[in-house]
Each structure stands twice: as C-alpha cells, then as structure tokens.
Amino acid sequence: DAGVIQSPRHEVTEMGQEVTLRCKPISGHDYLFWYRQTMMRGLELLIYFNNNVPIDDSGMPEDRFSAKMPNASFSTLKIQPSEPRDSAVYFCASSFFFLMSQGAGTEAFFGQGTRLTVV
Amino acid sequence: ELKVEQNPLFLSMQEGKNYTIYCNYSTTSDRLYWYRQDPGKSLESLFVLLSNGAVKQEGRLMASLDTKARLSTLHITAAVHDLSATYFCAVLSNFGNEKLTFGTGTRLTIIP
C-alpha cells in the first residue's frame, strides 16, 4: 500500500479564498483523523471519523472549517473563508483497531501533510 | 481534558551518550504511542505500548509504560547522529474514544 496520500503537498492562497485539502487513507483502515501542526500549538486533532462517520469534531476551530468523508477511501477538509492564522501543516492519518494479547488499540499512520500558507 | 507533557523540550547530546525522554499524562490510559518526526516530514510510528509494564525496543531506542505513574519513557542508548529528530508521545484515553492526544514533542540533536 502507498500509505496515506494527501494532496496538495503545498498550498498558497489569499485570505478569503476557499481551500480544500484531500486525503486518501490506507485501504482497510476504519479510522481517519485530521490534525493541524503549528509551532505555537503543536499537533491538534481537528476531527476524526470511524467508518466514514464523524465521531468527534470538537477540535474544529470555527465554522469556517468543515470535513467530510463520503466513502472509505476519501476525505476532505475545507476552510472557507481562509485566514492567515489558518497557516499550518495539516496532516491526515488513518488507523485500524486491533486486538492483541496485551490489549486492544489502534496505530495511526500519517500522510506527508499539506503545508498551507494564507497570505 | 487529557493533557500530555514531555520533557525535556529540547535536548542536545553527544554521540555515544545515553539519555531518557519523559512523557507524563493526566488521565487513566494504557495505550501510548511514540512517534518520530524529521524536519519538514511526516510522523513515523515507533512504538505502540498497550499495557502496564510494556517495554518495546528497536535498535538504540527503548520505550516503556508505567500506567500507575502515568509515565512513559523513551531511552536512547549510545546515540548516533541519525537519531536527531523530534520525538512525540501520544496517548489514547481509556474512556471510549480514539482521540489521540500528542505531547509537545522533544527536539533531539545529536552532536558528533
């Protein structure tokens, strides 16, 4: 498998424009996560899905942010309108739930990220 | 709210030396992960620790979990330059969700 695939890798946009980030999770994974990474706030979980259903979106900063997962192989994170403070690296990650003799858990695999700059 | 703290935040060490990075968390959990991130790159999974007393080793890195103390350690043995990176611990709460909360990260620089 090619791993988690994100596009675009880099995006520069003007304030007020709509931005759409895309993610293809690893086939067979049933969880998908969107994270944002900045120097000031570190890695923040924005939203996660289980079997295409949004489970927790409490990390989505404002109504300007929305995320969808129309099927098991595709998710989008949209920012409309974008602002300079949205500039960050956005990571998508996917994972699968597993049971082991030592316990149950998940292991998340991250995409390469999208570096967003809003000017 | 689950809080995850790492220390130190920055660490410079000479090649060949040993050191430990600490990860403390604020709520009951027996699911902890360590990741590595190189500058400008993605996060790479290093270890998955799923029970009290779990110990995992890969090369010069060894991770352990003490759920009673709510503490995990990442021990580096005889450091080499290619271990320079930022290391993150991440914790999953035991309370019925898969919300992975990351620590602040430890930026490790190995000096020749």
Side-chain angles (χ1 to χ4, degrees):
Chain A
D1 201 315
V4 177
I5 299 172
Q6 292 186 246
S7 64
R9 292 291 306 278
H10 302 274
E11 176 82 35
V12 180
T13 191
E14 291 185 345
M15 183 173 65
Q17 296 298 306
E18 177 180 294
V19 175
T20 299
L21 311 181
R22 297 172 175 80
C23 175
K24 176 177 166 48
I26 294 172
S27 177
H29 283 193
D30 51 358
Y31 287 90
L32 184 138
F33 306 84
W34 283 100
Y35 282 88
R36 178 172 68 177
Q37 186 177 35
T38 61
M39 288 294 293
M40 291 297 293
R41 300 176 68 90
L43 273 158
E44 302 172 277
L45 177 64
L46 301 178
I47 185 171
Y48 78 93
F49 297 82
N50 179 217
N51 292 322
N52 312 340
V53 176
I55 303 300
D56 186 336
D57 64 355
S58 60
M60 296 285 262
E62 302 169 34
D63 291 345
R64 299 184 296 106
F65 286 69
S66 62
K68 294 182 180 179
M69 191 165 185
N71 58 61
S73 59
F74 184 65
S75 178
T76 59
L77 178 68
K78 187 176 292 186
I79 309 172
Q80 165 63 18
S82 58
E83 297 183 4
R85 60 194 166 119
D86 302 331
S87 298
V89 179
Y90 291 80
F91 287 103
C92 175
S94 70
S95 72
F96 61 99
F97 184 81
F98 59 88
L99 291 171
M100 298 173 61
S101 56
Q102 306 96 306
T106 58
E107 183 175 5
F109 295 86
F110 281 73
Q112 292 301 305
T114 295
R115 183 175 295 275
L116 173 65
T117 304
V118 183
V119 298
Chain B
E1 181 187 343
L2 171 60
K3 294 192 186 305
V4 182
E5 295 184 350
Q6 286 181 239
N7 69 82
L9 297 183
F10 299 93
L11 176 58
S12 289
M13 38 188 304
Q14 286 187 315
E15 279 189 327
K17 300 291 188 184
N18 304 334
Y19 210 81
T20 300
I21 299 170
Y22 298 89
C23 173
N24 291 91
Y25 53 96
S26 63
T27 192
T28 304
S29 175
D30 52 11
R31 300 188 290 172
L32 189 139
Y33 306 78
W34 283 95
Y35 285 86
R36 168 183 172 144
Q37 186 179 35
D38 292 297
K41 302 293 186 182
S42 185
L43 285 88
E44 174 190 357
S45 177
L46 292 175
F47 299 110
V48 179
L49 302 169
L50 297 179
S51 60
N52 186 40
V55 177
K56 296 277 184 76
Q57 182 163 5
E58 180 75 32
R60 300 174 188 273
L61 300 178
M62 183 173 71
S64 65
L65 178 61
D66 180 345
T67 59
K68 291 183 172 57
R70 298 180 183 174
L71 170 69
S72 180
T73 60
L74 180 67
H75 187 73
I76 302 147
T77 302
V80 293
H81 179 69
D82 64 5
L83 290 180
S84 296
T86 299
Y87 293 86
F88 292 92
C89 64
V91 179
L92 276 170
S93 166
N94 276 4
F95 300 110
N97 67 63
E98 301 300 309
K99 190 172 179 176
L100 194 60
T101 301
F102 279 80
T104 50
T106 296
R107 183 175 294 182
L108 174 64
T109 304
I110 309 297
I111 303 165

